[in-house]
Every structure is written in C-alpha cells, then in structure tokens.
Amino acid sequence: MTDLTAAGDPAARGDARALLDALPDTLPQDEILAINSSKSDIHTHRTYAYNGWTFDLPPGVFKPGDTSRIVHDRLLDGTIPLKGRAYAAIGAGLGVEAVIAGTAGAREIYAADVHPDSVATAAAHYERVVGDRPGTAFRPLVSNLFEEFPSSARLDVITFNPPAVSVRTSDDPTVVRNVCVGAEIVVRFFDQIVDRDLLAPDGEIYLVVSNTSELKRIVAYAVDAGFQPEVLHRQTWEGDNCQAYFFKLNRRPAA
C-alpha cells in the first residue's frame, strides 16, 4: 500500500478547475470488477478491530475497508476537528466514526444509515465504548442520507464514504447497498445538504471517492453546487490502478 499526501499539489490548493483537470478518469469496467470482487462473508457474523476497540458485526453490516480507514484515521488524529461540534456520519455502518466522535467530545453526533441493523449496531457500540457522555448528544438515525434529519439540524462536520462504485459488482442487494449504488447517491447527498441548508456557515464536508467511481463527475457536481474542494490525501495500492481521494469541501464564498 502506498500512502500519498497531496498538499503540495497545485490542484490541492483550492483551484477547482485545476483539481478537476488533475483527477484521473474512471477505471475500465474489468479493472473495477477485479478491485471490488465481492466477499462472501457479509451475511455472516464477523468482528472488526480498530484503535484497541473490537466491534461485532451482525450479518448484513458492512465491514470497513481501506477507504473507510482513511476517514477513521483522520477523525482519530484530529485532522477532522470534532470537539464541541455537531457531526454527522453518513453511512454510519458499525459505528466507528460515532465512537471516535464521542471520545473526541463532539457536541452532537448523528449516526445515520439506511440500514436499520447497522444503526442498531452503531448505537450498541457507542453505548458500550462511550456511554452517556456529558455535553454530547448521540442521535442514531435510520435515514436515507439526510431524509430523516430534523429540520433544525445544522452540522459543523459531515463525513461520507459513499457506495459510489460505477459498476454493479454483485446481484446481492446487500453488496449493492454497501458498494455500488453509483454516483447518484453523491448527487443526492449534495442536493439535500443545499436544499435543506444543513451545513453550518463554517461547516466542512469530508468525502472519500476513488476512480472506481465517476470521480470527475462527482467533484464537478460538488463545485456546481457551491462547494470548494480541497484534496487532503490521495492513496494508492500496489497491484492495481485504484486511486482514492480524501476531499475537504467548504461552501464557496459568495461572489
């Protein structure tokens, strides 16, 4: 595995046009299928270890992979600041992000997922590891993106590692839900943030997208929706051509 930071890249310094030009094209279908070969264990009981914590995964709950850990590591090391802030983990899964946010002293935590068993699992892990923490409101929520969020929600931090792979990698609906819904889920993500005015004035979105997805289309859509993307991290892996980008997005200042 190769771990590359992109801070020195001109495209990482805030020029949206340069960033879009520098992003790689979506990989060919055969390469995407080779990278995202479906695992047969998603319908079994598994465990996942991170930062000294052990998480139980009931059948159907997604086990974090390398791109999820890009987010987890940056929540844990403070690259994504959480203390005293309102935070939403979209696609909360088994709850690693929520647990980190609780231990980091976030003011409010939404652990949102479309899958009820994932929300229940995240809530159980939060209760076991973090518990009732003064000054922190934990809100597990079964929601398709932000659809079930209260109208009063204003978020300082949103993270999302979307299942945006552009090729259907399986006929199993559980795999599809977790891997290959496609770019449209990210389009709806940005539309809902804008339409519902969910992001606080100085709020930040942190998004992981790779070139197994329609990477350029997704970032261009974010720019058109009024957000300024910045590449905080780019990761590659030995043996394939996958490139995963970790973006920070802020509202673009009004002209």
Side-chain angles (χ1 to χ4, degrees):
M1 180 185 298
T2 306
D3 188 350
L4 303 168
T5 56
D9 190 317
R13 296 199 294 261
D15 185 334
R17 183 70 260 166
L19 189 153
L20 286 167
D21 289 343
L23 292 175
D25 292 330
T26 302
L27 290 173
Q29 177 174 318
D30 58 340
E31 291 190 46
I32 294 172
L33 290 172
I35 292 167
N36 289 278
S37 57
S38 300
K39 296 181 178 179
S40 60
D41 64 353
I42 196 166
H43 296 290
T44 66
H45 189 98
R46 296 141 293 141
T47 61
Y48 177 72
Y50 180 78
N51 192 44
W53 302 312
T54 298
F55 299 87
D56 292 319
L57 284 82
V61 176
F62 186 65
K63 185 174 184 176
D66 289 342
T67 54
S68 296
R69 283 190 289 274
I70 293 173
V71 179
H72 299 166
D73 290 349
R74 280 145 191 84
L75 288 168
L76 190 67
D77 70 13
T79 298
I80 304 174
L82 293 170
K83 186 174 178 60
R85 308 183 85 191
Y87 167 57
I90 303 301
L94 59 86
V96 178
E97 295 98 328
V99 166
I100 297 170
T103 60
R107 182 182 81 252
E108 187 175 26
I109 303 164
Y110 289 93
D113 202 295
V114 73
H115 184 229
D117 287 352
S118 293
V119 175
T121 299
H125 290 145
Y126 185 91
E127 181 177 355
R128 176 174 58 84
V129 178
V130 182
D132 185 10
R133 193 178 187 95
T136 297
F138 176 61
R139 309 190 191 283
L141 196 61
V142 179
S143 181
N144 188 342
L145 298 175
F146 300 98
E147 288 179 4
E148 304 303 323
F149 276 59
S151 59
S152 59
R154 290 297 176 274
L155 303 167
D156 300 303
V157 182
I158 302 170
T159 61
F160 192 29
N161 179 18
V165 171
S166 62
V167 174
R168 191 179 182 93
T169 64
S170 173
D171 292 326
D172 184 333
T174 301
V175 174
V176 172
R177 185 190 81 239
N178 284 291
V179 176
C180 51
V181 177
E184 294 306 322
I185 193 170
V186 195
V187 168
R188 289 193 292 112
F189 169 81
F190 284 114
D191 283 348
Q192 290 181 19
I193 290 172
V194 172
D195 292 346
R196 300 182 56 151
D197 193 24
L198 284 162
L199 197 64
D202 295 322
E204 302 153 357
I205 300 167
Y206 294 89
L207 180 74
V208 177
V209 189
S210 80
N211 59 341
T212 64
S213 307
E214 294 180 80
L215 177 58
K216 289 186 174 183
R217 177 191 170 197
I218 288 168
V219 177
Y221 194 89
V223 171
D224 289 344
F227 298 100
Q228 178 66 51
E230 177 186 357
V231 178
L232 297 187
H233 177 84
R234 179 172 65 91
Q235 185 159 317
T236 63
W237 290 265
E238 298 293 339
D240 61 48
N241 294 313
C242 184
Q243 299 180 50
Y245 285 76
F246 178 58
F247 297 98
K248 175 183 176 181
L249 300 106
N250 296 95
R251 292 180 189 268
R252 209 166 47 244

